[in-house]
Amino acid sequence: MQSAEGSTPHVATLSLPARITVAVTVGAVAVGALLHLGMVFLHVSPSNTLNTQHAAAVSDYIYPEFEQNWKLFAPDPVQQNNHVQARAEVRKPDGSTETTGWVDLTALDVAAMRHNPIPSHADQNELRRAWGYYTDTHNDQSQATSGSSSDLSDTYLRNIVARRLGSHLNGGTVVRIQARGAVTPVAKPGWSGQSSDTATTYRELPWWTIPAAPAGQEKAS
């Protein structure tokens, strides 16, 4: 009986430039991951010499996208529904202007998450955190209270709202946008025997002007 010998498999090897590219890529990802973990650690760690000395750099890196807090473990959960709404002023081709109705952006996010087993991070947190960041750095009269952080939160929220509404609505070009928060207290359960005011209150922010797009870009869009 003759034994059958299989052929020796050919092991493909990467070329030297390809190996260098892979090594550089892996190194860059590793450095980026370590930098991110280090910044987050300095942000959440107790006050010490290192995070105090580099507080400005850590803050600039963390806010607003990577903010960390312990609200998940708060013993007193939020007892109100908070919705962010927006509207726009549009200029029609004949030069007239029109103000749209309020669009509930939070409701759109909730609809996108409902029945979705893997909802996106943007739908869950982007708008909510942007609104919270703005209200934490501005008083009830929308006056800045935190210096550069106030400016950053204003720009961050404005950009999100502008992107959600788009540059064209109701047959016109968006020239201004406005956001507001709608707060509705959650009603007490019937068995509690307590009554509560569930009327919705609103906090309107000032209008934001949208810079006009270049003529060529406006026509192309």
Side-chain angles (χ1 to χ4, degrees):
M1 178 181 294
Q2 293 181 345
S3 62
E5 295 182 359
S7 60
T8 303
H10 175 70
V11 180
T13 58
L14 295 175
S15 64
L16 180 59
R19 281 181 285 175
I20 293 176
T21 300
V22 171
V24 171
T25 302
V26 172
V29 171
V31 171
L34 290 174
L35 174 63
H36 177 74
L37 292 175
M39 286 295 192
V40 172
F41 174 78
L42 290 176
H43 176 67
V44 300
S45 63
S47 180
N48 56 68
T49 303
L50 190 59
N51 62 17
T52 300
Q53 182 178 358
H54 301 285
V58 173
S59 178
D60 289 343
Y61 178 84
I62 291 294
Y63 293 102
E65 286 85 359
F66 305 119
E67 180 187 1
Q68 307 288 318
N69 58 56
W70 297 101
K71 291 182 180 179
L72 174 66
F73 307 101
D76 185 19
V78 176
Q79 300 181 15
Q80 59 191 22
N81 290 320
N82 299 278
H83 281 230
V84 179
Q85 303 171 347
R87 63 178 177 176
E89 181 182 288
V90 299
R91 178 173 292 116
K92 300 298 186 66
D94 61 4
S96 62
T97 58
E98 173 190 338
T99 300
T100 69
W102 290 99
V103 179
D104 195 328
L105 303 180
T106 299
L108 296 177
D109 284 348
V110 172
M113 289 186 290
R114 185 171 286 119
H115 307 306
N116 185 349
I118 311 177
S120 73
H121 177 76
D123 289 336
Q124 296 179 80
N125 298 311
E126 182 183 63
L127 185 62
R128 176 180 61 86
R129 298 295 294 275
W131 179 263
Y133 187 27
Y134 181 93
T135 55
D136 286 345
T137 55
H138 293 78
N139 60 22
D140 292 340
Q141 289 73 44
S142 297
Q143 297 172 330
T145 58
S146 300
S148 60
S149 293
S150 298
D151 295 335
L152 179 60
S153 68
D154 182 277
T155 302
Y156 187 51
L157 179 61
R158 180 175 68 246
N159 289 344
I160 291 175
V161 173
R163 176 166 50 82
R164 297 285 185 95
L165 292 179
S167 59
H168 292 83
L169 284 174
N170 297 0
T173 301
V174 175
V175 293
R176 293 200 304 167
I177 57 176
Q178 185 182 31
R180 74 177 182 183
V183 179
T184 307
V186 176
K188 300 289 184 181
W191 49 261
S192 68
Q194 301 177 354
S195 60
S196 58
D197 182 9
T198 57
T200 301
T201 57
Y202 299 94
R203 175 179 175 178
E204 291 189 8
L205 305 188
W207 283 92
W208 289 309
T209 300
I210 303 299
Q217 181 178 345
E218 178 70 20
K219 184 176 180 180
S221 61

